[in-house]
Amino acid sequence: MQMLDLPGGDHIPKLGLGTWNMGESASAFDREVAAVRYAIERGIRLIDTAEMYGNGGAEKVVGAAMHGLNAALRNELFIVSKVLPNHADYTGVIRACDASLKRLGTDCIDLYLLHWCGSTPFQETLDAFTALRAAGKIRHYGVSNFDNHDMTEWLGCSGGEATACNQILYNLSRRGPEWDILPICKKHAVPVMAYSPLEQGRLKNAPALAEVAKRHDATALQIALAWVLARDNVIAIPKAVKHDHIDQNIAALNITLDAEDHALLNKAFPPPAGPNHLQMI
Ligand code: NAP
């Protein structure tokens, strides 16, 4: 698995598994746990979840999938979770993290993110993240859905320099972040984690992707994912429950797009021509 560097010499895999929409129904629980387990067996080590997903249900799915893994494999996993903005005050963050740890059945979250900006001053949330890290409950912290201005303010706070991620909506049909967010994250050595890298499956009918897919004997969505994975300083976390989807996403790591592929994709999905608002899904 290709890796990106994190502050302090740690590393994070380029490809992970998303879990939004998991943990929402009891009838799907076993199938979702099996999907996360299958992804781990196939080599996925990064799993993204959040207290919001399934109102804690997705964290329980991830916890159940990790339960009983041998210690060596468990130690290789890199678990990401997120605190909601309405829990972003000092005591709210500490309480939310403890609840996430319990649902995940673990004593440490590898990367803990503020899900999006709320009304709590950034310094207060950062102080809580710093305290959680000192207590060994999280290893790294970061943000999500932060635009250029949010990022600049956050990085300027005490503790901001240790930020390990900005998780944002980024895929071929959402290239706006290339204008400013990707450059500012690169400048501060903050990896970008691209969520909805497949645009939730909606990219599958794009003619340009079909054309490039034919050249690689791949599917359109594998090409969409290979494109995200080819970006410098960017991690992708496609969500998949179907085992063939998980296999296809892992196989996308081996697709190398050439100059002609990039030209076709740039024509169909042009890069931004100016500043724009960061989009959320
Ligand atoms: P996504 O990963 O772009 O797309 C997921 C959808 O694509 C699912 O319906 C999945 O189906 C399908 N799929 C996956 N691989 C496929 C393949 N190879 N071929 C065909 N279909 C495939 O969308 P997402 O779930 O919105 O984003 C990914 C993750 O990012 C989330 O799960 C979550 O962890 C994170 N996220 C974060 C935020 C945030 O605000 N920070 C917002 C949105 C998402 P099956 O499940 O049926 O296999």
Side-chain angles (χ1 to χ4, degrees):
M1 178 68 71
Q2 302 152 42
M3 309 288 265
L4 281 186
D5 295 337
L6 286 178
D10 204 355
H11 307 285
I12 184 168
K14 276 281 277 183
L15 177 68
L17 178 76
T19 65
W20 193 20
N21 295 320
M22 292 193 198
E24 291 187 347
S25 81
S27 59
F29 188 84
D30 288 348
R31 190 167 153 259
E32 291 163 353
V33 171
V36 177
R37 272 272 184 160
Y38 181 75
I40 294 169
E41 280 160 20
R42 299 284 293 125
I44 292 291
R45 295 291 177 266
L46 164 62
I47 301 169
D48 178 75
T49 190
E51 63 167 338
M52 186 188 91
Y53 303 161
N55 200 16
E59 290 179 325
K60 288 184 185 165
V61 168
V62 176
M66 292 194 293
H67 186 72
L69 288 180
N70 73 58
L73 184 51
R74 172 63 191 89
N75 283 340
E76 287 179 14
L77 297 182
F78 193 104
I79 305 299
V80 183
S81 195
K82 312 181 196 83
V83 58
L84 283 165
N86 59 332
H87 295 158
D89 60 294
Y90 190 90
T91 49
V93 172
I94 307 289
R95 207 177 302 131
C97 183
D98 282 338
S100 288
L101 288 169
K102 198 166 169 203
R103 286 188 291 267
L104 287 162
T106 190
D107 50 13
C108 183
I109 292 168
D110 296 283
L111 177 58
Y112 198 45
L113 308 178
L114 174 58
H115 210 145
W116 66 88
C117 284
S119 54
T120 307
F122 289 164
Q123 190 61 62
E124 184 171 347
T125 306
L126 264 166
D127 288 347
F129 282 172
T130 304
L132 284 170
R133 197 172 60 162
K137 293 183 177 182
I138 64 173
R139 288 175 56 224
H140 300 279
Y141 54 78
V143 294
S144 177
N145 296 301
F146 268 39
D147 68 14
N148 201 21
H149 303 291
D150 302 327
M151 219 38 214
T152 303
E153 185 187 335
W154 176 274
L155 290 167
C157 293
S158 168
E161 68 288 346
T163 302
C165 174
N166 185 11
Q167 184 180 115
I168 54 168
L169 175 59
Y170 181 55
N171 64 47
L172 263 174
S173 61
R174 314 272 195 161
R175 295 186 64 173
E178 286 171 33
W179 186 261
D180 48 12
I181 303 170
L182 263 53
I184 193 178
C185 287
K186 178 72 181 168
K187 183 175 159 207
H188 292 272
V190 176
V192 168
M193 194 176 285
Y195 74 68
S196 309
L198 311 176
E199 185 60 21
Q200 302 188 322
R202 288 185 289 275
L203 282 168
K204 73 174 174 223
N205 296 320
L209 281 170
E211 196 177 337
V212 176
K214 214 184 290 168
R215 291 159 50 89
H216 290 270
D217 194 19
T219 69
L221 290 183
Q222 282 182 300
I223 300 301
L225 182 56
W227 181 87
V228 175
L229 290 168
R231 311 301 300 191
D232 182 34
N233 200 40
V234 176
I235 296 155
I237 47 164
K239 174 259 181 184
V241 168
K242 295 193 182 75
H243 291 202
D244 61 329
H245 289 167
I246 293 169
D247 288 335
Q248 287 166 13
N249 295 344
I250 292 169
L253 281 166
N254 297 321
I255 299 173
T256 305
L257 302 175
D258 64 18
E260 197 175 331
D261 298 327
H262 280 291
L264 280 164
L265 295 173
N266 281 334
K267 196 166 168 222
F269 302 99
N276 47 80
H277 287 295
L278 177 64
Q279 297 174 319
M280 284 175 75
I281 260 183

